[in-house]
Amino acid sequence: MKLIGSAASPYVRKVRVVMAEKRLDYQFVIEDVWSDDTTIASSNPLGKVPCLIMDGSEAMFDSRVIVEYLDTLSPVGKLIPQPGRERAEVKTWEALADGVMDAGVLWRLEATWARRADGERSRAWMDRQRAKVEAGIRAMAKGLGDKPFCSGIHLSLSDISVGCALGWIGFRFPDIDWRGEHPNLGKLYDKLMLRASFADTAP
Ligand code: GSF
């Protein structure tokens, strides 16, 4: 398997962490989707990473589809429960974490995308996305509470998704003090970073 991605992308990190937790081998192919000569569209018409290329088959995207598929490849460390309530809970945690990343990406692009002129940057839009990031982080802290993991009694895709979102927010928006405001999230992230899957993929 070949994973096309970048080291800074939180969506790509989610896939790499799942690969490591499932002990799956893959080749990591770095692609800068923002460069003029990117060839990502030949694999993913949406021009986005992560994109998984299976041996002799078509490309697979996006991160939610890829991690769901990867979890079926090996019984080692099941990360997504069987269909039912628990699975829906894990997928909701993933949607929350992805939503925080989505809003953060929109906010950051509005603020920094080189092809947008300064006069075209909307403060109201940035504030709207920032509010989503902050509300999402508050919801994560509330949902985690005093529990050791976001859902269930062991590591799942919920924790991996939340960890990737928090690690990326810390990397791109250091002025958002999620650790100071939510010590339980800080504790979870520190615990995740003890795992090779997280330590080896930090942005
Ligand atoms: C989001 C991927 C994405 O936005 C997923 O895979 O879960 N829902 C998708 N990837 C960004 C890189 S990043 O911000 O992490 C991307 O490839 N953007 C290129 C573009 O043209 O939007």
Side-chain angles (χ1 to χ4, degrees), residues 107-128:
W107 169 13
R108 193 174 128 76
L109 288 176
E110 187 75 16
T112 65
W113 189 43
R115 294 204 195 155
R116 181 167 286 149
D118 280 345
E120 292 170 355
R121 301 188 198 279
S122 163
R123 172 48 56 192
W125 181 256
M126 289 185 242
D127 289 347
R128 184 181 173 90

Side-chain angles (χ1 to χ4, degrees), residues 55-123:
D55 298 331
S57 92
E58 302 217 332
M60 190 185 290
F61 49 87
D62 61 12
S63 66
R64 290 191 215 182
V65 176
I66 297 172
V67 296
E68 178 150 15
Y69 170 67
L70 294 177
D71 199 40
T72 67
L73 289 184
S74 134
V76 176
K78 266 296 193 193
L79 296 170
I80 308 174
Q82 294 303 307
R85 178 75 181 258
E86 282 173 28
R87 183 190 187 87
E89 269 173 36
V90 168
K91 301 291 278 184
T92 303
W93 272 104
E94 184 184 27
L96 176 63
D98 279 15
V100 165
M101 303 186 309
D102 293 345
V105 166
L106 288 175
W107 169 13
R108 193 174 128 76
L109 288 176
E110 187 75 16
T112 65
W113 189 43
R115 294 204 195 155
R116 181 167 286 149
D118 280 345
E120 292 170 355
R121 301 188 198 279
S122 163
R123 172 48 56 192

Side-chain angles (χ1 to χ4, degrees), residues 6 8-12 14-15 33-34 40 46-50 61-64 66 98 101-102 105 109 168:
S6 72
S9 165
Y11 310 95
V12 173
K14 185 176 25 146
V15 173
V33 292
W34 300 105
I40 185 64
L46 303 175
K48 295 187 182 196
V49 289
F61 49 87
D62 61 12
S63 66
R64 290 191 215 182
I66 297 172
D98 279 15
M101 303 186 309
D102 293 345
V105 166
L109 288 176
W168 184 76

Side-chain angles (χ1 to χ4, degrees), residues 34-52:
W34 300 105
S35 88
D36 287 339
D37 52 9
T38 178
T39 57
I40 185 64
S42 64
S43 304
N44 177 355
L46 303 175
K48 295 187 182 196
V49 289
C51 182
L52 185 74

